[in-house]
Amino acid sequence: MGVNSVTLVGRAGRDPEVRYFESGSMVANLTMAVNRRSRDDEPDWFNLEIWGKQAQVAADYVKKGSLLGIIGSFKLERWTDRNSGEERSKPVVRVDRLELLGSKRDNDAASGGFGGSPSEEEVPF
């Protein structure tokens, strides 16, 4: 038996990129920066993949700089580069649970002071 569980708290590195499918499903992709214990160290960057209702929440409320908490699983995406024919791969965290963290003020600052983030009553989960 194995365990594949990832729990991270960090800041969105960019606004989510959202794709919609004919089936009605959707996916949001973004990066997340997670600081290390020492302020002198560079943050670790993670690629996130979010599906379904959680993807809609990300599309509606996550902006570059938003403080997020996620729980998910690690996967390795593999593909063949069209130009070189080389095998490529990249690690991705498939998010099962997305939590919007921080205060409204924190999220307003992350979005440049406008747009804002929802109150707890407005978040649809």
Side-chain angles (χ1 to χ4, degrees), residues 1 6-7 15-16 26 31-33 47 51 54 56 66-67 86 88 97 100 111 115 117-119:
M1 183 173 138
V6 177
T7 303
D15 291 352
M26 66 184 292
T31 57
M32 174 188 258
N47 296 302
W51 288 87
Q54 299 284 311
Q56 187 65 57
S66 296
L67 185 61
E86 291 182 36
R88 302 272 187 195
R97 183 171 177 179
L100 305 176
S111 66
S117 295
S119 68

Side-chain angles (χ1 to χ4, degrees), residues 1-116:
M1 183 173 138
V3 175
N4 182 353
S5 181
V6 177
T7 303
L8 300 169
V9 174
R11 295 205 178 263
R14 65 173 192 256
D15 291 352
E17 295 174 7
V18 181
R19 289 183 295 163
Y20 298 89
F21 299 93
E22 289 182 17
S23 65
S25 63
M26 66 184 292
V27 63
N29 296 93
L30 66 143
T31 57
M32 174 188 258
V34 178
N35 289 329
R36 292 184 169 252
R37 292 187 187 267
S38 170
R39 290 182 181 222
D40 296 332
D41 291 335
E42 292 291 317
D44 292 316
W45 286 89
F46 296 89
N47 296 302
L48 305 182
E49 176 183 272
I50 309 169
W51 288 87
K53 291 179 183 178
Q54 299 284 311
Q56 187 65 57
V57 171
D60 292 343
Y61 302 117
V62 174
K63 303 288 182 230
K64 179 180 178 178
S66 296
L67 185 61
L68 308 173
I70 63 101
I71 298 172
S73 58
F74 174 81
K75 73 175 190 172
L76 195 59
E77 285 188 353
R78 299 169 195 253
W79 71 95
T80 302
D81 186 290
R82 291 181 186 165
N83 297 324
S84 68
E86 291 182 36
E87 291 294 316
R88 302 272 187 195
S89 64
K90 85 174 177 182
V92 175
V93 176
R94 180 155 185 191
V95 176
D96 297 319
R97 183 171 177 179
L98 170 68
E99 295 287 335
L100 305 176
L101 305 174
S103 68
K104 182 174 178 359
R105 185 174 7 153
D106 291 340
N107 291 324
D108 281 350
S111 66
F114 49 84

